């Protein structure tokens, strides 16, 4: 119904903003990401979504600092079992790119670190959104799900050899190395990779 609202931000709180336009004050729910970008008393532009609750038909207007955040919000609430409140909580916990990457990489750990997101909800988010996000990002499933594959193979080989010398079975060592690389990325040193892999496998 509304694409965006532009006006003076007369009041803001961590979850709510009131924007005045032509003498009318619009109350909008928002994420902490959007909240951080707003300055009370200044002119702002918020992309909006009017959400109608299917149970009691109550109406809530949501505001987003960027079109990307609004687009992701709409994707999140399209997932079965994910309501507007949960979607806003997700957007408040991680930025847009972090959420998209977590879903595309099937990173359950990151998604479950969000308050209120359990294993089943995290799995549904991945199942229902991963292909769409991968397509939008222009990145293949292999690139997204096998993040460790882009890391220096010599680093992996040396870490694997060291762990096996320490008595870690090869399958367990490979699994631990992959988990560490997925979490810390390609800038990790060999020593830190081995140390973290030992902790992960313990």
């Amino acid at each position: 119904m509304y694409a965006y609202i532009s006006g003076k931000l007369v009041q803001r709180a961590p979850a709510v903003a009131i924007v005045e336009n032509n003498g009318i004050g619009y109350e909008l729910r928002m994420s902490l990401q959007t909240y951080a970008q707003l300055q009370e008393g200044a002119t702002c532009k918020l992309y909006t979504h009017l959400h109608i609750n299917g149970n009691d038909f109550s109406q809530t207007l949501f505001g987003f600092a960027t079109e990307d955040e609004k687009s992701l919000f709409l994707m999140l609430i399209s997932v079965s079992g994910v309501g507007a409140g949960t979607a806003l909580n997700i957007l408040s916990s991680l930025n847009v790119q972090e959420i998209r990457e977590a879903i595309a990489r099937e990173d359950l750990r990151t998604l479950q670190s969000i308050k209120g997101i359990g294993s089943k909800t995290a799995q549904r988010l991945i199942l229902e959104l991963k292909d769409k996000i991968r397509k939008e990002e222009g990145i293949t499933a292999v690139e997204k799900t096998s993040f460790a594959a882009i890391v220096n193979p010599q680093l992996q080989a040396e870490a694997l050899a060291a762990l096996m010398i320490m008595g870690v079975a090869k399958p367990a060592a490979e699994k631990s190395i992959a988990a560490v690389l997925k979490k810390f990325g390609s800038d990790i040193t060999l020593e830190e990779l081995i140390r973290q892999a030992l902790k992960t496998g313990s």
Side-chain angles (χ1 to χ4, degrees), residues 83-95:
T86 300
L88 207 63
N89 185 38
I90 295 171
L91 290 168
S92 293
S93 302
L94 301 169
N95 65 42

PDB file of all heavy atoms in Angstrom, residues 83-95:
ATOM      1  N   GLY A  83       7.134 -15.131  11.636  1.00  0.00           N
ATOM      2  CA  GLY A  83       6.256 -13.975  11.641  1.00  0.00           C
ATOM      3  C   GLY A  83       7.032 -12.686  11.519  1.00  0.00           C
ATOM      4  O   GLY A  83       8.273 -12.669  11.485  1.00  0.00           O
ATOM      5  N   ALA A  84       6.302 -11.574  11.489  1.00  0.00           N
ATOM      6  CA  ALA A  84       6.929 -10.266  11.335  1.00  0.00           C
ATOM      7  C   ALA A  84       7.853  -9.941  12.504  1.00  0.00           C
ATOM      8  O   ALA A  84       8.937  -9.384  12.318  1.00  0.00           O
ATOM      9  CB  ALA A  84       5.857  -9.190  11.188  1.00  0.00           C
ATOM     10  N   GLY A  85       7.433 -10.307  13.725  1.00  0.00           N
ATOM     11  CA  GLY A  85       8.256 -10.043  14.890  1.00  0.00           C
ATOM     12  C   GLY A  85       9.571 -10.801  14.860  1.00  0.00           C
ATOM     13  O   GLY A  85      10.630 -10.254  15.174  1.00  0.00           O
ATOM     14  N   THR A  86       9.503 -12.063  14.449  1.00  0.00           N
ATOM     15  CA  THR A  86      10.717 -12.877  14.337  1.00  0.00           C
ATOM     16  C   THR A  86      11.643 -12.329  13.266  1.00  0.00           C
ATOM     17  O   THR A  86      12.862 -12.259  13.449  1.00  0.00           O
ATOM     18  CB  THR A  86      10.351 -14.338  14.015  1.00  0.00           C
ATOM     19  OG1 THR A  86       9.534 -14.868  15.058  1.00  0.00           O
ATOM     20  CG2 THR A  86      11.604 -15.197  13.877  1.00  0.00           C
ATOM     21  N   ALA A  87      11.068 -11.940  12.130  1.00  0.00           N
ATOM     22  CA  ALA A  87      11.871 -11.383  11.041  1.00  0.00           C
ATOM     23  C   ALA A  87      12.584 -10.113  11.488  1.00  0.00           C
ATOM     24  O   ALA A  87      13.757  -9.891  11.164  1.00  0.00           O
ATOM     25  CB  ALA A  87      10.983 -11.090   9.836  1.00  0.00           C
ATOM     26  N   LEU A  88      11.888  -9.274  12.242  1.00  0.00           N
ATOM     27  CA  LEU A  88      12.495  -8.037  12.733  1.00  0.00           C
ATOM     28  C   LEU A  88      13.614  -8.339  13.724  1.00  0.00           C
ATOM     29  O   LEU A  88      14.645  -7.657  13.741  1.00  0.00           O
ATOM     30  CB  LEU A  88      11.422  -7.168  13.400  1.00  0.00           C
ATOM     31  CG  LEU A  88      11.673  -5.651  13.395  1.00  0.00           C
ATOM     32  CD1 LEU A  88      11.713  -5.135  11.958  1.00  0.00           C
ATOM     33  CD2 LEU A  88      10.595  -4.932  14.167  1.00  0.00           C
ATOM     34  N   ASN A  89      13.429  -9.382  14.522  1.00  0.00           N
ATOM     35  CA  ASN A  89      14.462  -9.798  15.462  1.00  0.00           C
ATOM     36  C   ASN A  89      15.717 -10.268  14.728  1.00  0.00           C
ATOM     37  O   ASN A  89      16.849  -9.964  15.129  1.00  0.00           O
ATOM     38  CB  ASN A  89      13.927 -10.919  16.355  1.00  0.00           C
ATOM     39  CG  ASN A  89      14.912 -11.310  17.444  1.00  0.00           C
ATOM     40  OD1 ASN A  89      15.591 -10.467  18.008  1.00  0.00           O
ATOM     41  ND2 ASN A  89      14.998 -12.598  17.725  1.00  0.00           N
ATOM     42  N   ILE A  90      15.519 -10.993  13.635  1.00  0.00           N
ATOM     43  CA  ILE A  90      16.649 -11.456  12.821  1.00  0.00           C
ATOM     44  C   ILE A  90      17.404 -10.260  12.251  1.00  0.00           C
ATOM     45  O   ILE A  90      18.634 -10.188  12.296  1.00  0.00           O
ATOM     46  CB  ILE A  90      16.163 -12.375  11.681  1.00  0.00           C
ATOM     47  CG1 ILE A  90      15.565 -13.664  12.263  1.00  0.00           C
ATOM     48  CG2 ILE A  90      17.306 -12.703  10.717  1.00  0.00           C
ATOM     49  CD1 ILE A  90      14.870 -14.534  11.232  1.00  0.00           C
ATOM     50  N   LEU A  91      16.654  -9.289  11.713  1.00  0.00           N
ATOM     51  CA  LEU A  91      17.270  -8.102  11.121  1.00  0.00           C
ATOM     52  C   LEU A  91      17.948  -7.221  12.169  1.00  0.00           C
ATOM     53  O   LEU A  91      18.838  -6.434  11.839  1.00  0.00           O
ATOM     54  CB  LEU A  91      16.209  -7.281  10.377  1.00  0.00           C
ATOM     55  CG  LEU A  91      15.666  -7.916   9.096  1.00  0.00           C
ATOM     56  CD1 LEU A  91      14.427  -7.176   8.607  1.00  0.00           C
ATOM     57  CD2 LEU A  91      16.739  -7.928   8.005  1.00  0.00           C
ATOM     58  N   SER A  92      17.543  -7.341  13.416  1.00  0.00           N
ATOM     59  CA  SER A  92      18.159  -6.575  14.499  1.00  0.00           C
ATOM     60  C   SER A  92      19.440  -7.236  14.997  1.00  0.00           C
ATOM     61  O   SER A  92      20.292  -6.580  15.601  1.00  0.00           O
ATOM     62  CB  SER A  92      17.181  -6.421  15.671  1.00  0.00           C
ATOM     63  OG  SER A  92      16.075  -5.612  15.313  1.00  0.00           O
ATOM     64  N   SER A  93      19.576  -8.531  14.756  1.00  0.00           N
ATOM     65  CA  SER A  93      20.711  -9.294  15.274  1.00  0.00           C
ATOM     66  C   SER A  93      21.907  -9.300  14.331  1.00  0.00           C
ATOM     67  O   SER A  93      23.060  -9.314  14.778  1.00  0.00           O
ATOM     68  CB  SER A  93      20.284 -10.732  15.574  1.00  0.00           C
ATOM     69  OG  SER A  93      19.220 -10.752  16.497  1.00  0.00           O
ATOM     70  N   LEU A  94      21.635  -9.312  13.026  1.00  0.00           N
ATOM     71  CA  LEU A  94      22.689  -9.348  12.012  1.00  0.00           C
ATOM     72  C   LEU A  94      22.353  -8.347  10.922  1.00  0.00           C
ATOM     73  O   LEU A  94      21.185  -8.005  10.733  1.00  0.00           O
ATOM     74  CB  LEU A  94      22.801 -10.747  11.394  1.00  0.00           C
ATOM     75  CG  LEU A  94      23.117 -11.921  12.333  1.00  0.00           C
ATOM     76  CD1 LEU A  94      22.918 -13.238  11.593  1.00  0.00           C
ATOM     77  CD2 LEU A  94      24.529 -11.816  12.882  1.00  0.00           C
ATOM     78  N   ASN A  95      23.379  -7.882  10.187  1.00  0.00           N
ATOM     79  CA  ASN A  95      23.065  -6.992   9.078  1.00  0.00           C
ATOM     80  C   ASN A  95      22.580  -7.807   7.874  1.00  0.00           C
ATOM     81  O   ASN A  95      22.661  -9.039   7.868  1.00  0.00           O
ATOM     82  CB  ASN A  95      24.257  -6.091   8.717  1.00  0.00           C
ATOM     83  CG  ASN A  95      25.462  -6.863   8.178  1.00  0.00           C
ATOM     84  OD1 ASN A  95      25.329  -7.798   7.381  1.00  0.00           O
ATOM     85  ND2 ASN A  95      26.644  -6.470   8.612  1.00  0.00           N
TER      86      ASN A  95
END
